[in-house]
């Protein structure tokens, strides 16, 4: 039990250390730089094409266009995509945000027309509940089976020691009952012990 | 207990296999349109050719209608126009919703006179299946219908409820396999 906990703790810390190590790598530094540059270009583009009066609205627009998914192109948000429908949705988002609609209002507007597909955050219902339940239940299942296996092994170990104790007792009985002829008796007891 | 230990992994494996096998043949682009089984969204738009004539959702009601979203900029629309014209000759009512290419309208309003010229030229060449076309200049109706690209089509029953939707062109195969039978069943419902 204690050992398994230690093992889990070790593996988690190794994973964390690995992550920390990876993020200090030179290659990823370049990547991060590139990403930051891309982001800057994107943000300048947003400021240029979609002017807002308040920073709050600009931030909301940015969040929304990154969270809404282009219904035409499979795995791009509408900020990244230049497909016709993505441009339309961006313009609509801009219009709604300028009208002072809240984040949830805009998301509801889009979902009403394009379904849940359009939002990267899936809703919580009886179909999607497995997205959360399944990984959790797998972890629980693995933990339970690990603990069970450990206790089984201990039980087995206890059983075998009991058996051998009984056999030793038998051997001692036999040795005690036949004291005459040492070499003979030892040979007999060995063969009996084996059987 | 031992049986479960033997059977459970097999059942799990089979389940996962079936799941992935089905995934091989599923089309990730086939996202169900959420407007199907809903009533046609409200709108008020003017005729593509005549800015003074207005239509709304009641213009679509009353007859089984095939609503087609299209544009002269859309190549697949060009391909389906002759077949839609054929359907019209068979007595199917086709109504068009015309919308501009998003990339064009980014640079300000599209010149509608130019569009009208292009439209009448294209319809003269390839056939005109439309009873009328509404011009969705602001693309609000297109968004309300959950349209992702042109062409898309909706079959609307006489009560104004959307019963069928398709992304992509309508052709002989689609008509024979899906749309035709559905259209006939809706027609017979109206006659009753």
């Amino acid at each position: 039990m204690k050992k398994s906990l230690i093992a889990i703790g070790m593996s988690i810390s190794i994973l964390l250390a690995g992550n920390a190590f990876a993020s200090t790598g030179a290659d990823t530094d370049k990547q991060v730089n590139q990403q930051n540059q891309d982001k800057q270009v994107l943000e300048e583009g947003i400021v240029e094409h979609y002017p807002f009066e308040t920073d709050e609205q600009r931030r909301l627009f940015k969040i929304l266009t990154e969270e809404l998914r282009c219904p035409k192109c499979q795995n791009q948000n509408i900020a990244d995509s230049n497909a016709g429908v993505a441009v339309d949705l961006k313009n609509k988002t801009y219009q709604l945000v300028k009208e002072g609609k809240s984040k949830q209002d805009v998301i509801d507007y889009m979902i009403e027309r394009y379904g849940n597909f359009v939002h990267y955050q899936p809703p919580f219902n009886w179909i999607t509940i497995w997205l959360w339940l399944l990984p959790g239940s797998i972890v629980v299942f693995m933990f339970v089976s690990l603990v069970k296996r450990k206790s089984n092994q201990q039980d087995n170990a206890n059983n075998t020691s009991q058996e051998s104790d009984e056999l030793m007792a038998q051997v001692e009985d036999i040795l005690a009952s036949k004291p005459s002829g040492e070499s003979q008796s030892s040979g007999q007891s060995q063969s009996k012990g084996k059987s | 207990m031992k049986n479960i230990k033997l059977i459970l992994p097999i059942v799990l494996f089979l389940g996962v296999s079936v799941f992935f096998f089905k995934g091989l043949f599923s089309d990730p682009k086939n996202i169900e349109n959420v407007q199907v089984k809903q009533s046609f969204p409200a709108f008020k738009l003017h005729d593509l050719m005549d800015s003074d004539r207005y239509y709304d959702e009641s213009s679509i009601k009353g007859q089984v209608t095939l609503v087609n979203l299209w544009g002269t900029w859309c190549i697949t629309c060009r391909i389906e126009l002759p077949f839609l014209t054929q359907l019209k000759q068979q007595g199917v009512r086709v109504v068009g919703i015309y919308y501009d290419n998003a990339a064009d309208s980014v640079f300000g309003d599209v010149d509608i006179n130019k569009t009208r010229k292009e439209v009448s030229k294209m319809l003269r060449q390839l056939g005109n299946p439309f009873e009328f076309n509404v011009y969705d200049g602001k693309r609000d109706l297109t968004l309300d219908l959950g349209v992702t690209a042109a062409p898309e089509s909706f079959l609307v029953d006489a009560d104004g409820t959307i019963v069928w939707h398709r992304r992509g062109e309508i052709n002989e195969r689609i008509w024979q396999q899906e749309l035709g039978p559905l259209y006939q069943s809706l027609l017979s419902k109206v006659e009753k």
Side-chain angles (χ1 to χ4, degrees), chain B residues 20-183:
Chain B
F20 283 129
F21 188 74
K22 274 174 82 177
L24 282 179
F25 301 99
S26 76
D27 181 5
K29 287 189 173 125
N30 190 16
I31 310 146
E32 205 182 325
N33 185 296
V34 287
Q35 304 308 322
V36 176
K37 297 196 179 79
Q38 310 281 324
S39 53
F40 201 87
F43 69 95
K44 190 164 171 46
L45 293 170
H46 70 71
D47 193 289
L48 175 62
M49 296 301 181
D50 179 0
S51 307
D52 294 328
R53 192 188 295 165
Y54 277 85
Y55 295 99
D56 59 20
E57 64 276 15
S58 67
S59 321
I60 291 177
K61 268 191 196 172
Q63 274 184 62
V64 183
T65 305
L66 186 64
V67 177
N68 182 244
L69 283 107
W70 71 291
T72 50
W73 45 271
C74 145
I75 294 172
T76 318
C77 306
R78 199 175 273 273
I79 292 165
E80 77 171 344
L81 265 183
F83 186 72
L84 289 180
T85 310
Q86 229 173 295
L87 289 185
K88 186 214 174 183
Q89 282 156 4
Q90 290 172 29
V92 180
R93 183 190 191 218
V94 186
V95 166
I97 298 172
Y98 189 94
Y99 76 108
D100 298 309
N101 193 346
D104 290 341
S105 53
V106 165
F107 300 104
D109 281 342
V110 179
D111 179 9
I112 192 162
N113 288 321
K114 198 178 145 218
T115 307
R116 280 174 183 159
K117 265 182 211 156
E118 282 172 9
V119 166
S120 37
K121 189 181 159 207
M122 190 162 149
L123 293 182
R124 248 200 326 276
Q125 280 176 349
L126 300 168
N128 181 2
F130 303 111
E131 186 179 301
F132 60 86
N133 268 292
V134 292
Y135 178 58
D136 192 16
K138 291 211 157 56
R139 279 206 283 288
D140 276 332
L141 180 55
T142 313
L143 280 190
D144 286 347
L145 283 166
V147 169
T148 61
E152 291 198 18
S153 298
F154 295 85
L155 187 65
V156 185
D157 71 6
D159 302 328
T161 306
I162 298 171
V163 287
W164 181 86
H165 164 253
R166 174 165 169 79
R167 289 194 181 91
E169 96 270 32
I170 289 174
N171 51 32
E172 185 74 43
R173 185 177 62 84
I174 297 296
W175 177 257
Q176 294 291 349
Q177 285 177 359
E178 283 181 46
L179 184 54
L182 191 62
Y183 178 78

Side-chain angles (χ1 to χ4, degrees), chain A residues 49 71-74 83-89 91-92 95 109-117 141 148 152, chain B residues 1 5 8 28-29 31-35 99 101-103 105-106 139-140 142-149:
Chain A
H49 288 291
K72 181 72 188 165
C73 25
Q74 289 294 299
V85 66
V87 175
D88 280 351
L89 293 189
N91 291 340
K92 197 60 180 179
Q95 184 197 326
Y109 177 94
M110 296 300 176
I111 287 179
E112 204 181 299
R113 283 155 184 81
Y114 286 92
N116 287 321
F117 184 89
F141 173 77
K148 240 187 177 175
N152 269 352
Chain B
M1 188 59 200
K5 267 189 181 168
L8 196 68
K29 287 189 173 125
I31 310 146
E32 205 182 325
N33 185 296
V34 287
Q35 304 308 322
Y99 76 108
N101 193 346
S105 53
V106 165
R139 279 206 283 288
D140 276 332
T142 313
L143 280 190
D144 286 347
L145 283 166
V147 169
T148 61

